[in-house]
Amino acid sequence: MHACVGRTALHESCVGRRRNRLLSLLACGVPCSCVQSFLLRELKEADIGRALKAANAAADAVIQICVSQLQPALEMLIQRLSHVQGLSRWPHHFAALGLQPQRVATALDAAAAHRAATELLLVSARRTRRGLCALLGWLTRIARRLRDEAPPTTEDTPAHDVSAIAAFLDSASRHGGLPADEVMDLCSDAEGPATASNHEDPLAQLAE
């Protein structure tokens, strides 16, 4: 038990240190020795390119499923359930259907909750892709600068978005180094991205 807690604390500490080093680089533009060593020796542009393609493909797939399948199906389901709910409130005319208003209302609430989760998934996929692509593109530019190479074109790697990168790093550091799963947070009582907006700006925290 103590060993498990110790490993968890060590992992969280490492994630926090990596996040602070990258935020420091983002704020001042000068990497510390370990970050510079990583960018020059271990970070490969080919790996970044594959990661970007994989992230874009995954995000496109999720967005396509949400837009073309989940959202239309849930809208249709809510419309049908709303009609059934109306029928359930006229027991004298539709008693033969055996409709129970409370159960119909529960089903309608569940369908509405799934629609909200689908919309949140859509927003989360777009936001995570934006943050991850911004982070990887920024690291590519920094690595090239350290190697005295020409920066990538804006067509290949758009200019980095400081706020998107800082938000992505801050969110990932609070979730074990991974992007926040906003949909799963709907089913959890723990603090998630919905309450994360109450946190101070990560760059401001670093400056304190």
Side-chain angles (χ1 to χ4, degrees):
M1 176 71 175
H2 292 293
C4 181
V5 172
R7 286 194 297 271
T8 301
L10 180 61
H11 172 71
E12 292 178 351
S13 176
C14 291
V15 170
R17 285 198 298 271
R18 289 194 295 267
R19 170 251 195 191
N20 287 340
R21 287 166 180 165
L22 289 174
L23 284 176
S24 177
L25 173 59
L26 183 63
C28 65
V30 179
C32 62
S33 58
C34 59
V35 172
Q36 181 170 335
S37 176
F38 169 76
L39 293 174
L40 291 175
R41 299 179 183 178
E42 299 183 39
L43 190 67
K44 308 297 182 185
E45 279 197 41
D47 294 336
I48 292 179
R50 283 192 292 269
L52 282 171
K53 289 181 180 179
N56 282 319
D60 286 339
V62 171
I63 292 170
Q64 179 67 18
I65 291 173
C66 288
V67 172
S68 66
Q69 299 181 39
L70 291 177
Q71 286 184 329
L74 288 167
E75 289 292 346
M76 183 180 297
L77 177 60
I78 290 173
Q79 183 180 8
R80 298 290 176 83
L81 286 173
S82 297
H83 179 66
V84 172
Q85 186 180 44
L87 298 180
S88 71
R89 293 174 177 174
W90 290 73
H92 297 295
H93 296 278
F94 302 101
L97 297 178
L99 297 174
Q100 300 182 32
Q102 185 59 42
R103 290 191 175 184
V104 174
T106 299
L108 184 57
D109 289 342
H114 279 84
R115 179 177 62 180
T118 299
E119 292 173 353
L120 181 58
L121 177 60
L122 187 60
V123 171
S124 180
R126 288 169 173 163
R127 181 187 298 136
T128 300
R129 172 168 62 180
R130 174 171 171 255
L132 182 59
C133 290
L135 173 66
L136 294 177
W138 169 65
L139 290 176
T140 299
R141 289 180 176 276
I142 293 294
R144 286 199 178 189
R145 190 189 72 191
L146 292 174
R147 293 194 294 264
D148 293 326
E149 297 178 359
T153 64
T154 54
E155 293 182 358
D156 296 333
T157 306
H160 66 272
D161 185 334
V162 174
S163 60
I165 297 170
F168 183 84
L169 289 172
D170 189 54
S171 174
S173 70
R174 295 197 303 273
H175 294 81
L178 297 173
D181 189 338
E182 301 181 14
V183 177
M184 286 301 296
D185 283 334
L186 289 175
C187 307
S188 173
D189 293 331
E191 179 179 322
T195 55
S197 59
N198 295 328
H199 290 276
E200 297 179 6
D201 179 75
L203 291 177
Q205 293 179 4
L206 187 65
E208 291 179 354

